Amino acid sequence: MEKEIEKLQEIIDTHDNIVFFGGAGVSTESGIPDFRSQDGLYHQKYDFPPETILSHTFFMRRPEEFYKFYRDKMLCDTAKPNGAHLKLAELERAGKLKAVITQNTDNLHQMAGSKKVLELHGSVYRNYCMKCGKFYGFSHIKGSVGVPRCECGGIIKPDVVLYEEGLDNDTINESVRAIANAQVLIIGGTSLAVYPAASLIDYFRGEYLVVINKSPTPRDRYANLLIQEPIGQVFSQIKVRGV
């Protein structure tokens, strides 16, 4: 891997308009399970498959069962940013990284210090009453029992994009602009299997496409640099030298 790390270092050193596009694999090294790996949520046993539980229809019809799974598997307040999160925040501070585009909902990029984070699938740290729109934080949902309700009586819904729901248009448009203007696009910790999020990388027209993922992705053959290693380990070896 040494040669690949050297090449990644060179790319980062010589460019100052880098965009990062990441998925669940960025957070697995922080102890948050992904969906598709051997230990991921798709391989665990529940009365319903995770993609069914995390759907809009299921939430509306069986909110109590939804929240049992959601509290158990989606609310992880013990996770800490790993080497990838921390290095990306450092690259942003150095003026190298212009945006983090993430499919994750865990807030770890912000905890690491990143400011420009485009959350394609929302965040478990934001929750709203479906009736009056009042905001509720992470701890309120974590500490609630059954179906959390607002003081107005409405059901509180996490601000995460469930299956069957559309992505936020403003977030999509901002992500497209960032990717289209980037010199370097680094794709990390994602199998690129979730659409429409994965299709956003089609807008990249820059110089270097870098793919860092333990398992193969559909974009590997287009990558100028391919590193099939854990992303936290990879980024921990990168030095940030400023602009």
Side-chain angles (χ1 to χ4, degrees):
M1 186 171 67
E2 193 175 325
K3 197 168 100 176
E4 286 83 1
I5 296 292
E6 286 177 8
K7 181 62 177 175
L8 178 60
Q9 183 73 64
E10 179 192 332
I11 292 170
I12 290 172
D13 286 346
T14 54
H15 295 85
D16 59 7
N17 187 345
I18 302 168
V19 168
F20 179 80
F21 181 96
V26 179
S27 295
T28 51
E29 289 170 82
S30 295
I32 295 180
D34 67 357
F35 277 68
R36 290 175 173 79
S37 70
Q38 194 57 44
D39 299 319
L41 296 182
Y42 283 157
H43 294 275
Q44 299 180 24
K45 302 300 180 188
Y46 293 92
D47 291 341
F48 300 90
E51 67 268 31
T52 299
I53 299 172
L54 295 174
S55 69
H56 179 83
T57 298
F58 194 92
F59 174 81
M60 298 302 291
R61 289 180 182 170
R62 300 170 177 251
E64 189 144 357
E65 288 183 66
F66 169 90
Y67 268 110
K68 278 182 191 171
F69 178 90
Y70 184 79
R71 286 191 193 93
D72 185 30
K73 293 298 175 186
M74 304 296 287
L75 299 183
C76 182
D77 54 356
T78 58
K80 304 292 182 199
N82 62 50
H85 300 106
L86 295 168
K87 195 66 67 173
L88 288 165
E90 199 180 338
L91 286 167
E92 183 187 50
R93 289 193 295 272
K96 293 278 187 185
L97 188 78
K98 301 308 180 188
V100 168
I101 302 167
T102 181
Q103 299 172 80
N104 298 336
T105 62
D106 52 39
N107 207 49
L108 288 177
H109 285 293
Q110 290 92 331
M111 290 180 193
S114 289
K115 304 297 184 191
K116 182 71 169 181
V117 182
L118 300 171
E119 296 170 315
L120 295 174
H121 296 154
S123 172
V124 298
Y125 280 76
R126 297 189 300 269
N127 308 272
Y128 297 96
C129 172
M130 297 176 71
K131 189 175 176 183
C132 74
K134 183 177 178 180
F135 171 86
Y136 289 88
F138 181 98
S139 58
H140 183 89
I141 304 301
K142 181 83 171 175
S144 63
V145 177
V147 180
R149 290 189 176 270
C150 178
E151 54 196 29
C152 79
I155 292 177
I156 300 170
K157 182 181 181 294
D159 187 20
V160 297
V161 179
L162 302 176
Y163 289 97
E164 305 166 348
E165 295 179 344
L167 304 189
D168 177 72
N169 279 332
D170 290 341
T171 306
I172 291 175
N173 291 336
E174 211 172 338
S175 300
V176 166
R177 278 195 296 274
I179 290 171
N181 292 325
Q183 299 168 314
V184 177
L185 177 61
I186 302 175
I187 297 170
T190 173
S191 59
L192 295 174
V194 177
Y195 283 79
S199 63
L200 295 179
I201 61 178
D202 291 336
Y203 291 93
F204 179 62
R205 296 289 183 271
E207 297 173 41
Y208 286 99
L209 177 64
V210 179
V211 176
I212 307 169
N213 199 54
K214 288 197 293 185
S215 57
T217 82
R219 300 298 171 126
D220 289 359
R221 58 191 174 132
Y222 302 110
N224 302 101
L225 176 62
L226 175 64
I227 304 177
Q228 292 184 310
E229 300 289 343
I231 190 162
Q233 293 180 25
V234 171
F235 270 108
S236 294
Q237 298 177 64
I238 295 299
K239 294 178 176 59
V240 180
R241 302 186 171 114
V243 182

